[in-house]
Amino acid sequence: MAFYYEEPSRTFNEYLLVPGHTPASCIPTKVSLKTPLVRYRKGEEECPLSLNIPMVSAIMAAVSDDRMAVALATEGGLSFIYGNQSIEDQAAMVSRVKQHKAGFVVSDATLSPDMTLEQVLELKEVTGHSTMPVTDDGKPNGKLLGVVTERDYRLSRMSLDAKVCDFMTPREKLIVAPAETSLKEANDIIWDHKLNSLPLVDDQDHLVYMTFRKDYDSHKDNPLEMLDAEKRYIVGAGINSRDYAERVPALVEAGADVLCIDSSEGFSDWQKMTIEWVREHYGNDVKIGAGNVVDREGFRFLAEAGADFVKVGIGGGSICITRETKGIGRGQATATIEVAKARDEYFEQTGIYVPICSDGGIVYDHHISLALAMGSDFVMLGRYFARFDESPSNKVVVNGTYMKEYWGEGSARARNWGRYDLGGKKSLSFEEGVDSYVPYAGSLKDNIAVTLLKIRSTMCNCGALTIPEFRDKAKLTVVSSTSIVEGGAHDVLLKDKTPYVSTAR
Ligand code: XMP
């Protein structure tokens, strides 16, 4: 006879946190959101790889490319570069993240000496940059000939046909530094010589980077940056259980710090085989997460197979239709709570802590707090990050409102059938996701600052300064459908939904 769960499976929306005592010492600025990313043993001093904030971006083409990875690592989180692309392209994205030097910019507004002032103004308009290096071929890594800033031209006195070579500040008058200069040294030169920017050149005098006074300041504003021992950004990458023997070596070579098997359903021999292959070829040097599962058995299977972390969630994603098409899945809150218990039980029995990640179904910022309180070590988000400038998808106008495109990896648009592989030569090909729009929300930095402040505030309301403390102290309550209504604005007419109003006489 089939097994029946006694309790209904629940979503985040059905829970609230009951506040606990807040000591005076517990204020949001003191809260640490550091959390383990990969497995570690009891007694080990520290987890070998931790996140500084409990957020990672989804392994999706509409979400996680190299630009997103840099933006999120800057804030203390991590992106998993999407795997539904050629091995070369994915490895190139990983490599770009690893080569990105915070505060060092490869010029995207480079001039050639024969360009006109009119073209300079056009480029300034398009890029928003007022400092533009001049190279012999107009390329970002050409031989440096000079720099143009607003101080080099006076529109009222000059013809728009004037040539760049006639009004630029020429190379011999520029202060430059060698390509190996550290950001701190570059900043010292900028200050000592009262500069706004400093070109970095190689020994052939080819431009390598530009550094700007303002970039050093913003770099200092990111104390949570996820950096490796060589001060490069930390980045993850998605893999599948089909071409891992070719993909994993390329990603490792490119510098990926952690991998994750991307699949809608992870309780399978394919995942075990993939992890075993990685262990056989790389031992524990390559970190690899697996998933997704929604119950105790699924977690134990992947933990015993050697997964470094386990992702939780089937069908809860905003663009997912797996539950509708296949009838499999589980409410995200219930799945998270059960798998968290299984992780703690596994830790008790083996002394090995395998972090878990609640993946999908996070709609409001407070859902992140709930997932952490329920025992998730960190969360994976797709829709949340897809809304930002840094996501790779197009920004469009829908009915007069800015939106970003966002599509599921199981949608016909993604055609990521490897994610839904059930073995055999021919894979299934029906859709498990949709193609959609999500409201454009601006920059990642601005949005994440608000989200993190909310999480820290909630933790303080529960008297917790760390995530483990939050988990221990959290008191969760199931809410009735009427108390959900009570929780929003109710029985009032919202002004922003009421366009036609006149003054009563
Ligand atoms: P959110 O809710 O953050 O969810 O947008 C992102 C997560 O959804 C999963 N995902 C899919 N699930 N069909 C599915 O059933 C799909 O097409 C699909 N694409 C992504 C994935 O776990 C992701 O992190």
Side-chain angles (χ1 to χ4, degrees):
M1 197 183 135
F3 176 79
Y4 289 90
Y5 285 94
E6 295 291 329
E7 296 290 325
S9 76
R10 296 189 185 279
T11 63
F12 291 128
N13 256 349
E14 293 173 82
Y15 285 90
L16 280 179
L17 281 153
V18 177
H21 169 241
T22 307
S25 57
C26 194
I27 53 171
T29 48
K30 287 199 180 159
V31 170
S32 162
L33 293 175
K34 195 166 175 172
T35 192
L37 174 65
V38 297
R39 68 162 59 206
Y40 65 91
R41 273 181 185 281
K42 206 178 200 162
E44 273 176 2
E45 261 180 32
E46 229 188 305
C47 170
L49 189 54
S50 296
L51 294 163
N52 290 331
I53 62 167
M55 295 164 79
V56 300
S57 69
I59 312 169
M60 299 174 72
V63 181
S64 298
D65 67 352
D66 45 321
R67 185 171 174 217
M68 175 63 71
V70 168
L72 184 49
T74 304
E75 302 305 320
L78 177 93
S79 289
F80 286 90
I81 304 272
Y82 68 96
N84 190 25
Q85 57 178 324
S86 75
I87 294 173
E88 297 70 38
D89 288 351
Q90 191 187 16
M93 280 192 181
V94 169
S95 173
R96 281 202 290 277
V97 179
K98 296 311 285 187
Q99 281 165 20
H100 184 96
K101 288 174 85 183
F104 294 87
V105 182
V106 175
S107 170
D108 62 354
T110 315
L111 304 170
S112 61
D114 54 354
M115 284 170 84
T116 61
L117 176 56
E118 186 170 16
Q119 288 172 304
V120 171
L121 298 176
E122 278 168 15
L123 197 60
K124 180 172 172 239
E125 176 78 25
V126 174
T127 61
H129 300 317
S130 50
T131 300
M132 304 181 198
V134 185
T135 60
D136 56 349
D137 55 6
K139 296 201 175 135
N141 294 120
K143 198 171 168 60
L144 185 67
L145 299 182
V147 165
V148 170
T149 70
E150 283 165 339
R151 274 179 268 168
D152 291 309
Y153 50 84
R154 206 162 152 196
L155 291 177
S156 56
R157 296 224 178 147
M158 280 168 64
S159 153
L160 287 176
D161 295 329
K163 295 268 189 235
V164 163
C165 55
D166 294 329
F167 63 86
M168 68 186 185
T169 303
R171 167 70 182 86
E172 53 277 15
K173 289 200 180 158
L174 291 178
I175 293 172
V176 302
E180 308 72 54
T181 308
S182 73
L183 190 57
K184 163 92 180 59
E185 290 163 347
N187 189 56
D188 288 345
I189 299 171
I190 285 174
W191 276 89
D192 290 349
H193 295 87
K194 298 190 168 83
L195 308 171
N196 280 323
S197 67
L198 177 73
L200 265 53
V201 293
D202 65 14
D203 48 13
Q204 309 287 314
D205 224 23
H206 284 94
L207 180 64
V208 182
Y209 295 115
M210 294 293 290
T211 51
F212 296 90
R213 181 184 285 251
K214 63 178 171 32
D215 285 346
Y216 182 73
D217 291 341
S218 68
H219 180 65
K220 280 192 306 185
D221 287 343
N222 302 318
L224 297 179
E225 277 179 325
M226 287 285 291
L227 300 175
D228 66 17
E230 290 161 48
K231 302 259 178 271
R232 301 174 307 173
Y233 283 121
I234 288 188
V235 63
I239 60 165
N240 60 59
S241 45
R242 274 184 176 182
D243 63 8
Y244 53 83
E246 294 85 44
R247 195 171 288 269
V248 171
L251 294 172
V252 171
E253 174 72 27
D257 297 278
V258 53
L259 307 175
C260 183
I261 312 173
D262 180 31
S263 168
S264 69
E265 209 280 287
F267 192 176
S268 77
D269 282 344
W270 317 121
Q271 297 236 339
K272 188 166 182 250
M273 282 151 57
T274 309
I275 298 168
E276 282 170 358
W277 186 92
V278 167
R279 293 285 171 255
E280 189 187 320
H281 290 81
Y282 297 98
N284 290 326
D285 292 344
V286 168
K287 305 295 177 198
I288 175 166
N292 287 9
V293 299
V294 287
D295 65 1
R296 178 182 176 279
E297 288 74 28
F299 170 83
R300 281 205 81 102
F301 179 82
L302 291 178
E304 280 162 12
D308 278 298
F309 63 89
V310 172
K311 278 203 297 130
V312 184
I314 296 180
S318 56
I319 34 51
C320 302
I321 51 170
T322 292
R323 293 185 195 167
E324 282 172 13
T325 51
K326 296 204 300 199
I328 64 157
R330 199 171 193 196
Q332 190 62 21
T334 302
T336 303
I337 293 168
E338 183 173 315
V339 175
K341 280 190 192 144
R343 176 211 46 214
D344 293 346
E345 181 188 281
Y346 189 74
F347 185 51
E348 285 266 296
Q349 291 168 357
T350 64
I352 300 171
Y353 189 87
V354 181
I356 63 165
C357 165
S358 184
D359 173 20
I362 294 208
V363 180
Y364 302 111
D365 291 337
H366 79 267
H367 288 171
I368 303 177
S369 306
L370 286 171
L372 298 174
M374 288 169 183
S376 199
D377 293 280
F378 56 101
V379 295
M380 178 172 270
L381 307 111
R383 192 194 63 89
Y384 177 87
F385 288 112
R387 300 171 304 145
F388 303 151
D389 287 319
E390 292 81 358
S391 79
S393 73
N394 290 326
K395 184 171 151 191
V396 293
V397 179
V398 180
N399 298 331
T401 306
Y402 282 124
M403 308 285 266
K404 293 272 288 191
E405 292 182 318
Y406 179 45
W407 60 95
E409 287 296 301
S411 67
R413 175 167 181 177
R415 301 197 167 277
N416 185 358
W417 308 130
R419 188 171 191 272
Y420 301 88
D421 193 12
L422 288 175
K425 283 213 177 94
K426 263 189 120 188
S427 57
L428 293 172
S429 54
F430 54 85
E431 290 168 45
E432 292 194 38
V434 297
D435 195 358
S436 69
Y437 301 110
V438 287
Y440 166 68
S443 80
L444 180 146
K445 192 175 188 63
D446 291 348
N447 281 277
I448 220 166
V450 176
T451 300
L452 294 175
L453 181 58
K454 286 187 197 167
I455 296 170
R456 290 189 168 106
S457 304
T458 305
M459 287 172 63
C460 286
N461 291 148
C462 298
L465 284 170
T466 65
I467 291 175
E469 198 182 348
F470 184 38
R471 201 184 287 164
D472 286 346
K473 291 188 168 170
K475 291 182 282 184
L476 288 146
T477 180
V478 174
V479 291
S480 68
S481 51
T482 51
S483 61
I484 292 173
V485 175
E486 188 187 59
H490 60 93
D491 300 304
V492 293
L493 198 56
L494 292 176
K495 285 194 174 173
D496 60 354
K497 303 258 166 16
T498 316
Y500 307 111
V501 178
S502 56
T503 311
R505 288 167 198 275

